[in-house]
Amino acid sequence: MYIHTYSHHTLPKSTHINHKIMSSINPSMEDLPPNIMVDILTRLPVKTIILCKRACKNWHNLILSSYFANIQLSRSPPSLMIYHESEEHMTSYHRAGILKLVKMEDESDYHRLHHDPVMSLDLNHAPALRNSQLLPVGSINGFICLWQFGTNFDNTYICNPITREYMILPRQQYYREGYSIIAYGFGVGLQTKEYKVVRTFQGDIPSDPTSRSRPRFLQSEVYTLGTGRWRSLGHCPYWRNGYGGPYLNGHPHWTIIDQDFPEKICAFNFDNETFNLFPSPPIETIEGSQMHFRSLGVLKGCLSQSYTFDSQFTIWVMKEYGIKNSWHREVVIKQSISPDLDWVMWEPMYLIEGLKDGTFLMVYWEDQLMVYCPETKTMEDTKIFDRYIWGMAYRPSFFRLAEFESERALMF
């Protein structure tokens, strides 16, 4: 699929104006030219736009147009998408979770997170997703990629929670049976404008969990939305950590487990479909403290990497994309700032967004949505959701999966 340019020619015919009506002595909003209506509607909150779509046929057709979707996305406010499972779901694996949109009010001197339950999407409404376990892989332009996995599942889904559409991609060549690691990436090419999913099957893993020997089977495939098929990329040279790679500048990124490479990050170029080493920050060591985890994220448009030690949590940010010397140690969260933080150093912490006042939003393992303020050196639990949660930065959009002709778009 190609992202449509801003053109009045993409407006639906049903929205063109009858100029005789304009001269009516009782004009209405429907009399306004389509481009003016788009300008008004795209400034409204997403929830209000959805209600407007039901108001009349003209507005319905206008909001479904690619012209509207492009302008709305350019004005779409930064948000969060939380994938939430109850403790009952986690113990039984009999139900998929719920996608919950979190609105961010972010000003220099004020910020607030707001979750409207009406905007939630229960994935159990899709018959194919019931009785299975899901993990969010990534998000771009309102689309979310989901991995359905388990004893009897290894499938890839794309959905748009705003339009309530989803589709299942055809089965890939390498299907997960038994223990193996799957590394995913989801995004759009900067030049081709094509949406793609890249997937690496990391199988034949050494049975010893302490072994640093790489898997003997590393095969990658890529799927371009709209084509209806996976294409093999052959052997992948890098053994990667984590199932989902954060997307930035046309590339998903992953940390590398291999010890022999000079850099500890790799990236996939969605345009030329190649894997490459990517500049990583300095390897940190702390005397008397062991490093437990590394994780990648995107903060305010910059790639970030976090280190979790026994005694502190460190955030590095790449100020200029692709420039190794631009890595900057942004903040150090020491366990000693609060006796309550000793537990933070024993599980992964994932950064998901940065706010205007320098505050960071993070998900601690699968349990809590946390806020850290560097100015006051305080960390707090937002207490918006109970465990178990995964979070990602998200921009609501009205792009439609139905525009991809080779896949069948279904409704929740």
Side-chain angles (χ1 to χ4, degrees):
M1 174 184 175
Y2 294 86
I3 299 178
H4 301 281
T5 57
Y6 303 153
S7 169
H8 292 284
H9 297 297
T10 57
L11 286 167
K13 293 181 179 179
S14 60
T15 60
H16 288 300
I17 243 5
N18 184 333
H19 291 285
K20 291 183 179 180
I21 299 179
M22 288 290 290
S23 61
S24 171
I25 58 173
N26 296 310
S28 69
M29 285 190 66
E30 289 191 60
D31 299 331
L32 293 174
N35 61 314
I36 300 299
M37 278 306 309
V38 168
D39 187 58
I40 294 172
L41 292 173
T42 54
R43 298 177 187 276
L44 300 176
V46 172
K47 182 178 177 180
T48 305
I49 295 175
I50 293 174
L51 294 175
C52 289
K53 188 173 71 170
R54 303 169 185 168
C56 66
K57 185 177 180 179
N58 277 356
W59 287 7
H60 179 273
N61 293 335
L62 190 67
I63 291 170
L64 291 182
S65 70
S66 58
Y67 174 74
F68 179 92
N70 273 286
I71 295 183
Q72 186 278 331
L73 180 65
S74 70
R75 294 172 174 171
S76 185
S79 306
L80 303 179
M81 185 61 73
I82 301 296
Y83 176 67
H84 190 200
E85 294 183 295
S86 69
E87 191 163 353
E88 177 185 353
H89 295 172
M90 291 297 293
T91 55
S92 65
Y93 298 127
H94 285 166
R95 286 174 58 85
I98 301 173
L99 290 172
K100 299 183 176 182
L101 181 66
V102 178
K103 180 181 177 182
M104 297 195 306
E105 297 179 13
D106 183 19
E107 302 298 335
S108 299
D109 57 349
Y110 168 81
H111 56 78
R112 186 174 77 96
L113 304 178
H114 174 68
H115 164 58
D116 185 348
V118 174
M119 294 301 295
S120 296
L121 176 61
D122 189 343
L123 297 175
N124 293 283
H125 292 160
L129 299 179
R130 293 173 189 162
N131 304 319
S132 65
Q133 189 175 13
L134 298 169
L135 282 175
V137 171
S139 173
I140 183 70
N141 294 343
F143 296 139
I144 294 177
C145 182
L146 299 167
W147 177 33
Q148 181 188 38
F149 71 99
T151 305
N152 301 313
F153 299 100
D154 184 5
N155 301 308
T156 307
Y157 288 80
I158 308 295
C159 76
N160 185 337
I162 304 304
T163 63
R164 273 8 190 207
E165 295 173 299
Y166 75 96
M167 62 187 183
I168 180 173
L169 303 189
R171 175 173 287 195
Q172 60 282 342
Q173 180 179 354
Y174 301 103
Y175 194 77
R176 186 175 186 260
E177 293 178 351
Y179 182 65
S180 57
I181 296 175
I182 309 297
Y184 268 96
F186 176 55
V188 63
L190 295 184
Q191 297 179 8
T192 64
K193 307 302 181 185
E194 294 175 328
Y195 290 87
K196 296 182 180 182
V197 180
V198 62
R199 186 180 193 269
T200 299
F201 186 93
Q202 304 180 140
D204 199 12
I205 297 171
S207 56
D208 181 1
T210 63
S211 172
R212 304 304 294 177
S213 299
R214 72 198 318 267
R216 289 178 288 272
F217 191 82
L218 293 165
Q219 292 290 323
S220 295
E221 300 172 271
V222 66
Y223 188 96
T224 303
L225 269 63
T227 64
R229 65 186 182 92
W230 290 89
R231 289 179 289 108
S232 174
L233 298 174
H235 175 75
C236 175
Y238 309 115
W239 178 22
R240 285 163 288 159
N241 186 24
Y243 64 90
Y247 171 86
L248 181 65
N249 287 348
H251 299 74
H253 307 75
W254 305 267
T255 56
I256 296 176
I257 300 177
D258 296 273
Q259 300 299 309
D260 298 334
F261 293 109
E263 303 292 352
K264 303 306 177 186
I265 298 176
C266 76
F268 180 78
N269 187 316
F270 276 123
D271 285 322
N272 61 31
E273 298 184 352
T274 57
F275 292 95
N276 299 285
L277 286 178
F278 190 84
S280 54
I283 298 295
E284 285 197 88
T285 58
I286 299 176
E287 186 176 353
S289 184
Q290 180 182 357
M291 185 177 70
H292 298 285
F293 308 103
R294 284 183 297 156
S295 63
L296 294 173
V298 177
L299 292 177
K300 301 176 74 171
C302 296
L303 189 68
S304 69
Q305 179 167 293
S306 306
Y307 293 105
T308 304
F309 294 90
D310 295 336
S311 58
Q312 70 182 40
F313 178 74
T314 308
I315 302 170
W316 288 78
V317 174
M318 183 179 249
K319 299 295 186 178
E320 297 180 59
Y321 184 76
I323 306 300
K324 186 175 180 65
N325 292 337
S326 71
W327 279 108
H328 170 72
R329 188 162 64 175
E330 191 78 6
V331 68
V332 176
I333 304 174
K334 291 188 176 293
Q335 183 266 333
S336 58
I337 69 172
S338 170
D340 296 332
L341 284 182
D342 57 348
W343 50 269
V344 171
M345 308 306 167
W346 294 101
E347 297 291 352
M349 186 86 78
Y350 300 100
L351 276 68
I352 56 176
E353 189 59 277
L355 304 181
K356 291 179 181 177
D357 65 352
T359 296
F360 295 104
L361 296 176
M362 303 174 281
V363 171
Y364 168 68
W365 191 218
E366 303 165 358
D367 286 346
Q368 295 162 298
L369 179 60
M370 310 288 292
V371 174
Y372 176 76
C373 178
E375 183 176 346
T376 60
K377 293 188 165 97
T378 57
M379 182 180 288
E380 297 181 5
D381 180 1
T382 62
K383 298 182 179 179
I384 296 181
F385 306 108
D386 297 326
R387 60 190 318 197
Y388 294 86
I389 61 172
W390 288 262
M392 67 181 75
Y394 182 77
R395 283 187 180 267
S397 87
F398 287 82
F399 284 123
R400 300 180 62 207
L401 290 173
E403 293 190 16
F404 297 102
E405 296 180 357
S406 296
E407 296 87 10
R408 182 186 175 193
L410 304 170
M411 298 299 295
F412 284 99

